[in-house]
Every structure is written in structure tokens, then in C-alpha cells.
């Protein structure tokens, strides 16, 4: 079968090639009847415009770049799926660019990607969303971008986030409400702004309940299973152990479950464990994990939508848009009231 081109669509609809291009690119100022005729012709001929043809017909490339630097495979997968789902609705394509954002060559790699692909916009996940040199490269290129969960400088560009501090506060309140007073906390990667906000939420909830946070109960992690495992070894390595551990993401919480199993601690009878993100693994772990549902898929879809819809232009003097999506506390079988030990003789 011969390849169907824009010329065939124009001929069948009885309009110019330029009009077909305007309709397919969803440009304004096209009569509704003409738009319907063009779309009907394209559907009948099963015409699918190529990215190169569309970019030649206008100023857009129909590409969105995703710059990601995150050790959690579940997080990265959800971001990609969310962004792709939104891009497909308007005929855009997502180009994923893994980036070691702390490396000296990160800004140059960003510039090279922008020059080669000329994307219509970029999505930045943490910690890329807070790397000054990467942001500067995007600013210099004039490429619109949306930052997911940035830590600071909210007026710099459009962003999508949840209230990480409040989410961690509410999870800590849940553990306190069960009767836990000695709670361990595993901090997320130090380069991620959300890590600090979640730690602040934990400390604030403990403080507001009149509890003192023991500093040896706060252990650094890096959002990976291995770092959660190693942090749990520290927290559970002696008889003086907490009755609950709140990890800053699910991957680290799964590491805690593994150490608890190795130490023959029953969850949640001997130890309650909570995470953050609500990844697929949180639902299938043993026991299923109590966690904060962060709408990662929806956040990425929203970021892509802001770029496609032109919600923010770097040249616009007004403040960039910001969207805050809701989170949910998901209570499952990994948390319960602490075991009541019999009173010790004095």
C-alpha cells in the first residue's frame, strides 16, 4: 500500500496543505466545518503525520525531553509512564535522557541534548530539578521546563509537587496514634529537596506530640533498597531498638522489611514499618506496606501537559505556574500498635 501523505489528505478534504497542517497541529482560526472535513479525511485515509513532517510544517518539534537522575526504578517508571500517557494524547513523543546531574559534564550534556533534539520542553525530576548549572543550560537555550518536586527557588520555573512535609507529618501522626513513641526515621537522598521536607514533617509531628527525637534514630539513606537495608541494620542492631521505622520511600522501607525478617522480628507485631510513594512493590510485599501515596504518574502527566499546553513561557514576565497534587495515607498491614512488653521487676 502506498504511503498516505498530507497531500492526499488535502486533496480528499478539498483544502490546502497549509490548512491540513493547521488542523493537525490544533491551531486556532480554522472553521469548525473545515476542521471536521480534514479530520474525517485523515481518519478515512488512516493518515498519521510523522514527527519530522509536523516539525517542518511549524515551529514545534513535538518532542518532550525527560531529564532524570533517580535510583528508584519504580519512581522512574511511573514518571515515564505518566509523561508518555499525556504526550500521546497530542501526538508528542517523550525522549528520556538519564543524567548524572552531579557530574561536571551534566550541563554540557544538557546543552548537547537540547541542541540536537530541540525539544518543545523538558521535564526535570529531582535532584535534576535543583541543579543550578542544568537549570542555567535550559534557561540559556530558552527551553521551557517543568520541575517536579523542587526544593527551592519556586519562582524560577513551572513546577508540580505535593506537600511532602505535611505527608510525612501525617504518617508520623499515624504511628504516634497507634502508640509508638520511639520511632526511627530513614532520610532520603540528601540532594533531593523532598528528603529535607519529609524529615521536617517527621520532626514537627514528633515535636507537636511532645516527643523528643533521638538523633541516633535518624539515619541517612539514598532512596535505594540497599541504603534502606543498611540503615535498618543500624536501627535494629541492638536490643535498644525503635518500635517503628518510617522510611522516606518504599524502596528503603522494603530494605527495612528484609532486615526485620533476617532478625526474626515479626512485622507489625515486633516492628511497624512505613514507607512513602505507594509503589507496586508496596502492595505485594510481605506484609503489604503502609505508605504515603505520592501521585507520581499524575505529577509527570501534569508536567507534560503544562509544556504541551504552553502553560508557561520563559519569556513571560508573570510568575510561573505551580500545581500541588493531593497525597493519600494508605494504611496496610505493616503498621499496628506496639507489642506491650510485660513490666520488668524493679
Amino acid at each position: 500500500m502506498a504511503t498516505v501523505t498530507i497531500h492526499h489528505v488535502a486533496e480528499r478534504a478539498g483544502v490546502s496543505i497549509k490548512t491540513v497542517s493547521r488542523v493537525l497541529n490544533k491551531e486556532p482560526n480554522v472553521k469548525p466545518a473545515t476542521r471536521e472535513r480534514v479530520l474525517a479525511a485523515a481518519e478515512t485515509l488512516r493518515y498519521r503525520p510523522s514527527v519530522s513532517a509536523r516539525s517542518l510544517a511549524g515551529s514545534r518539534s513535538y518532542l518532550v525531553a525527560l531529564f532524570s537522575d533517580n535510583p528508584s526504578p519504580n519512581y522512574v517508571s511511573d514518571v515515564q509512564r505518566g509523561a508518555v500517557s499525556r504526550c500521546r494524547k497530542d501526538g508528542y513523543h517523550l525522549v528520556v535522557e538519564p543524567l548524572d546531574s552531579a557530574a561536571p559534564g551534566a550541563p554540557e550534556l544538557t546543552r548537547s541534548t537540547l541542541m540536537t533534539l530541540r525539544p518543545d520542553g523538558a521535564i526535570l525530576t529531582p535532584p535534576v530539578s535543583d541543579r543550578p548549572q542544568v537549570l542555567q543550560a535550559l534557561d540559556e537555550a530558552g527551553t521551557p521546563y517543568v520541575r517536579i518536586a523542587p526544593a527551592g527557588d519556586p519562582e524560577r520555573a513551572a513546577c508540580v509537587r505535593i506537600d511532602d512535609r505535611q505527608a510525612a507529618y501525617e504518617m508520623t501522626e499515624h504511628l504516634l496514634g497507634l502508640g509508638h513513641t520511639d520511632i526511627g526515621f530513614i532520610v532520603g537522598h540528601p540532594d533531593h529537596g523532598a528528603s529535607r521536607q519529609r524529615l521536617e514533617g517527621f520532626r514537627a509531628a514528633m515535636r507537636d506530640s511532645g516527643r523528643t527525637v533521638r538523633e541516633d534514630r535518624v539515619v541517612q539513606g539514598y532512596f535505594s533498597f540497599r541504603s534502606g537495608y543498611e540503615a535498618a541494620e543500624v536501627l535494629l542492631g541492638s536490643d535498644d531498638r525503635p518500635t517503628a521505622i518510617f522510611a522516606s520511600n518504599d524502596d528503603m522501607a522494603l530494605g527495612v522489611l528484609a532486615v526485620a525478617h533476617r532478625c526474626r522480628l515479626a512485622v507489625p507485631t515486633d516492628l511497624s514499618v512505613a514507607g512513602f510513594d505507594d509503589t507496586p512493590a508496596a502492595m505485594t510485599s510481605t506484609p503489604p506496606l503502609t505508605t504515603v501515596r505520592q501521585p507520581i504518574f499524575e505529577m509527570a502527566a501534569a508536567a507534560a501537559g503544562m509544556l504541551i499546553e504552553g502553560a508557561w513561557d520563559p519569556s513571560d514576565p508573570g510568575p510561573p505556574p505551580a500545581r500541588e497534587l493531593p497525597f493519600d495515607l494508605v494504611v496496610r498491614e505493616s503498621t499496628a500498635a506496639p507489642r506491650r512488653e510485660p513490666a520488668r521487676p524493679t
Side-chain angles (χ1 to χ4, degrees), residues 193-273:
S195 299
R196 295 187 290 277
Q197 293 161 17
R198 293 171 193 178
L199 176 58
E200 289 173 5
F202 167 72
R203 289 188 182 279
M206 294 291 283
R207 181 179 63 248
D208 291 350
S209 71
R211 307 296 175 185
T212 300
V213 177
R214 288 174 44 177
E215 289 310 309
D216 63 335
R217 295 301 197 225
V218 178
V219 182
Q220 184 65 58
Y222 294 90
F223 282 146
S224 64
F225 175 91
R226 169 54 60 182
S227 68
Y229 191 98
E230 293 173 350
E233 287 184 314
V234 173
L235 291 168
L236 302 176
S238 66
D239 292 336
D240 178 29
R241 57 176 175 77
T243 62
I245 295 178
F246 178 14
S248 292
N249 82 337
D250 290 345
D251 287 351
M252 295 194 298
L254 295 175
V256 176
L257 290 179
V259 174
H261 177 74
R262 193 198 72 192
C263 295
R264 298 183 180 180
L265 295 173
V267 177
T269 308
D270 298 319
L271 176 72
S272 284
V273 180

Side-chain angles (χ1 to χ4, degrees), residues 1 42 49 112 133 152 155 236 240 275 278 284 289-290 310 319 332-333:
M1 181 181 295
S112 175
Q133 292 180 319
E155 298 297 314
L236 302 176
D240 178 29
D278 196 24
T284 58
L289 190 64
T290 292
R332 298 194 179 99
E333 289 88 339

